[in-house]
């Protein structure tokens, strides 16, 4: 028994508990043998008992030794496999960057901050879920007005909708403005929604940056100067800009601004220029001022609504607006700022 146990223990490579039970457990081999003691001649019992004890001690200490050796081996293996090679290059974590549309909006914001405008982006004053009253009625678009067709939207209830424009922010801020502290100059960047069919220049969800200036003697010349300053900031001398008369129920007169898709040279024929509309603007309609509690005989105002998605298309030569919303990292990482 001793011999076979020694060999078995030395060859055993796993948990030793199993072997201990096998030999020394209550139903183990050695225990079994010692239980036969009662059949042994009483004179020989002492000697046989000693041999039994000797075998038990040998097996016990061998098992302990073998267990220790196995533990050490496992530890050595673990240490070897976990060794860190400090010369290996580290894994580069992917770094997040502002989306290209956010970058354009930041540029627009910075420009207007420099002109002394305040930025309204608190959801309290600029909610994406709006009421029909603020989105349409306060913009001089009563329920049956045909111009509502220009901006069909997604309704949550008949009175609550996803805003189609950032213009409602005008009323939300203007009705609270204290003119004793000076004129109001604000911009409001944000998301807007329309039931437009998606195509190369239209998305059902896009962005606008609203602008509003209310004060004494504000004129169309102020509007034109402000618009040209942002256009020049973003497009430099590269693109041609044109102002064209337009119609909005909340401004009179109204204009739209187009930018040429390609740079224009003195040789370019006017009919060859491809224009893309980027913003709507105008002198705020007296009705709108009245609804916001401002006396149109004392104050005048201009407002504009820029389309930063179209700005980004022009600036980076992206010919399909839908690219901005696909979240394809290969497309988006072209606009990452280095460093
Ligand atoms: C308006 O939304 C007016 N609220 C703008 C305005 C504000 C006029 C203040 C006067 C005073 P319009 O529907 O034209 O106007 O949209 C303004 C700009 O948003 C467009 O010039 C265009 O750049 C952008 N835009 C409109 N619809 C979409 C669309 N579906 N996808 C992407 N951009 C769009």
């Amino acid at each position: 028994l001793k011999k076979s146990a020694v060999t078995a223990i030395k060859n055993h490579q796993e948990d030793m508990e199993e072997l201990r039970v096998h030999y020394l457990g209550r139903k183990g081999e050695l225990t079994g043998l010692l239980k036969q003691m009662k059949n042994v001649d009483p004179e020989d019992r002492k000697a046989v008992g000693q041999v039994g004890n000797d075998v038990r001690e040998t097996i016990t200490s061998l098992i302990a030794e073998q267990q220790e050796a196995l533990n050490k081996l496992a530890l050595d293996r673990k240490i070897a496999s976990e060794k860190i090679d400090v010369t290996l290059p580290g894994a580069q974590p992917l770094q997040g960057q502002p989306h290209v549309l956010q970058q354009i909006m930041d540029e627009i914001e910075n420009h207007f901050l420099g002109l002394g405008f305040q930025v309204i982006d608190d959801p309290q004053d600029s909610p994406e879920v709006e009421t029909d009253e603020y989105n349409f009625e306060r913009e001089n678009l009563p329920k049956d007005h045909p111009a509502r067709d220009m901006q069909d939207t997604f309704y949550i209830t008949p009175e609550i909708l996803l805003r189609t424009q950032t213009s409602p922010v005008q009323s939300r801020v203007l009705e609270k403005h204290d003119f004793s502290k000076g004129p109001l100059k604000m911009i409001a960047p944000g998301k807007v929604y329309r039931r437009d069919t998606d195509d190369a220049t239209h998305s059902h969800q896009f962005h606008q940056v609203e602008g509003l200036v209310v004060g004494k003697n504000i004129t169309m010349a102020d509007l034109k100067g402000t618009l040209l300053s942002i256009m020049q900031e973003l497009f430099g001398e590269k693109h041609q800009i044109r102002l064209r008369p337009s119609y909005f129920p909340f401004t009179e007169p109204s204009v739209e601004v187009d930018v040429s898709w390609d740079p224009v040279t003195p040789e370019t024929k006017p009919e060859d220029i491809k224009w893309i509309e980027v913003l709507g603007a105008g002198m705020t309609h007296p009705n709108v001022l009245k609804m916001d509690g401002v006396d149109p005989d004392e104050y005048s105002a201009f407002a504009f609504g820029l389309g930063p998605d179209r700005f980004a298309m022009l600036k980076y030569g992206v010919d399909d607006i839908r690219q901005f919303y696909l979240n394809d990292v290969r497309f988006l990482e072209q606009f990452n700022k280095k460093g």
Side-chain angles (χ1 to χ4, degrees):
L1 174 71
K2 186 175 167 184
K3 246 195 204 161
S4 76
V6 169
T7 324
I9 293 169
K10 290 205 163 148
N11 288 336
H12 205 70
Q13 296 293 326
E14 280 157 32
D15 191 2
M16 303 305 289
E17 180 61 11
E18 200 183 305
L19 274 192
R20 196 191 64 75
V21 173
H22 178 79
Y23 290 111
L24 308 177
R26 278 205 296 135
K27 291 183 181 157
E29 269 190 53
L30 181 63
T31 322
L33 276 180
L34 292 177
K35 275 186 189 156
Q36 314 277 318
M37 200 69 123
K38 55 180 182 294
N39 305 330
V40 174
D41 193 336
E43 277 180 20
D44 296 337
R45 276 190 197 160
K46 195 174 167 198
V48 172
Q50 253 169 12
V51 172
N53 280 345
D54 176 44
V55 173
R56 179 197 300 278
E57 271 165 33
T58 310
I59 292 178
T60 309
S61 66
L62 260 182
I63 285 180
E65 255 172 53
Q66 181 72 358
Q67 182 68 61
E68 201 173 310
L70 286 178
N71 287 351
K72 186 170 179 304
L73 196 70
L75 188 65
D76 286 349
R77 282 208 192 114
K78 198 165 173 215
I79 290 171
S81 69
E82 285 180 1
K83 213 164 34 181
I84 295 169
D85 182 351
V86 290
T87 63
L88 279 176
Q92 279 285 341
L94 279 178
Q95 214 176 358
Q97 293 264 351
H99 191 279
V100 57
L101 294 177
Q102 188 59 50
Q103 291 179 28
I104 284 274
M105 306 240 281
D106 289 346
E107 277 180 58
I108 297 172
E109 250 177 58
N110 284 336
H111 179 77
F112 283 103
L113 281 171
L115 295 180
F117 283 60
Q118 53 171 311
V119 178
I120 309 290
D121 52 10
D122 184 331
Q124 288 283 340
D125 296 317
S126 183
E128 286 174 34
V129 179
E130 253 304 357
T131 59
D132 184 276
E133 180 194 348
Y134 277 94
N135 193 77
F136 289 127
E137 288 181 38
R138 292 281 280 268
E139 299 309 315
N140 211 19
L141 273 149
K143 286 236 157 49
D144 53 356
H145 200 291
R148 282 199 177 202
D149 290 351
M150 290 157 68
Q151 301 184 8
D152 196 8
T153 187
F154 303 95
Y155 284 87
I156 291 161
T157 70
E159 290 305 320
I160 299 176
L161 42 80
L162 296 184
R163 67 178 176 192
T164 58
Q165 49 185 354
T166 41
S167 299
V169 185
Q170 290 188 29
S171 299
R172 290 192 174 273
V173 175
L174 187 52
E175 66 187 7
K176 289 195 289 197
H177 186 71
D178 177 1
F179 280 96
S180 69
K181 300 214 168 90
L184 173 66
K185 288 165 79 178
M186 57 148 266
I187 58 162
K191 289 195 185 82
V192 298
Y193 305 82
R194 282 189 201 179
R195 266 195 62 186
D196 281 351
T197 306
D198 289 4
D199 63 21
T201 54
H202 292 84
S203 173
H204 57 281
Q205 183 254 295
F206 58 103
H207 299 81
Q208 285 190 340
V209 180
E210 193 75 11
L212 175 67
V213 174
V214 190
K216 292 189 172 160
N217 305 317
I218 302 290
T219 68
M220 189 87 181
D222 299 316
L223 170 61
K224 193 173 169 190
T226 307
L227 292 179
L228 287 181
S229 79
I230 179 68
M231 302 310 277
Q232 260 150 20
E233 162 96 15
L234 283 170
F235 301 112
E237 305 297 311
K238 258 179 70 189
H239 299 262
Q240 189 91 5
I241 295 157
R242 78 174 180 194
L243 269 72
R244 134 179 91 67
S246 183
Y247 169 75
F248 296 103
F250 33 91
T251 47
E252 178 61 36
S254 305
V255 292
E256 279 183 317
V257 174
D258 301 333
V259 178
S260 69
W261 181 255
D262 300 304
V264 172
T265 64
E267 289 78 50
T268 313
K269 291 197 206 97
E271 61 270 27
D272 289 342
I273 304 176
K274 194 172 126 201
W275 298 102
I276 173 161
E277 177 210 312
V278 294
L279 68 90
M283 301 306 293
T284 304
H285 197 291
N287 282 356
V288 174
L289 290 178
K290 269 190 233 160
M291 281 188 272
D292 293 332
V294 177
D295 180 357
D297 294 329
E298 197 180 348
Y299 295 97
S300 54
F302 72 74
F304 54 84
L306 315 175
D309 303 58
R310 303 245 178 110
F311 280 34
M313 292 175 73
L314 278 157
K315 181 158 176 167
Y316 297 111
V318 174
D319 60 10
D320 195 322
I321 195 171
R322 289 166 290 199
Q323 292 277 6
F324 295 128
Y325 294 99
L326 294 177
N327 281 337
D328 183 337
V329 175
R330 291 165 303 179
F331 170 77
L332 293 175
E333 68 190 0
Q334 307 173 72
F335 310 105
N336 283 1
K337 297 223 163 72
K338 301 282 173 299

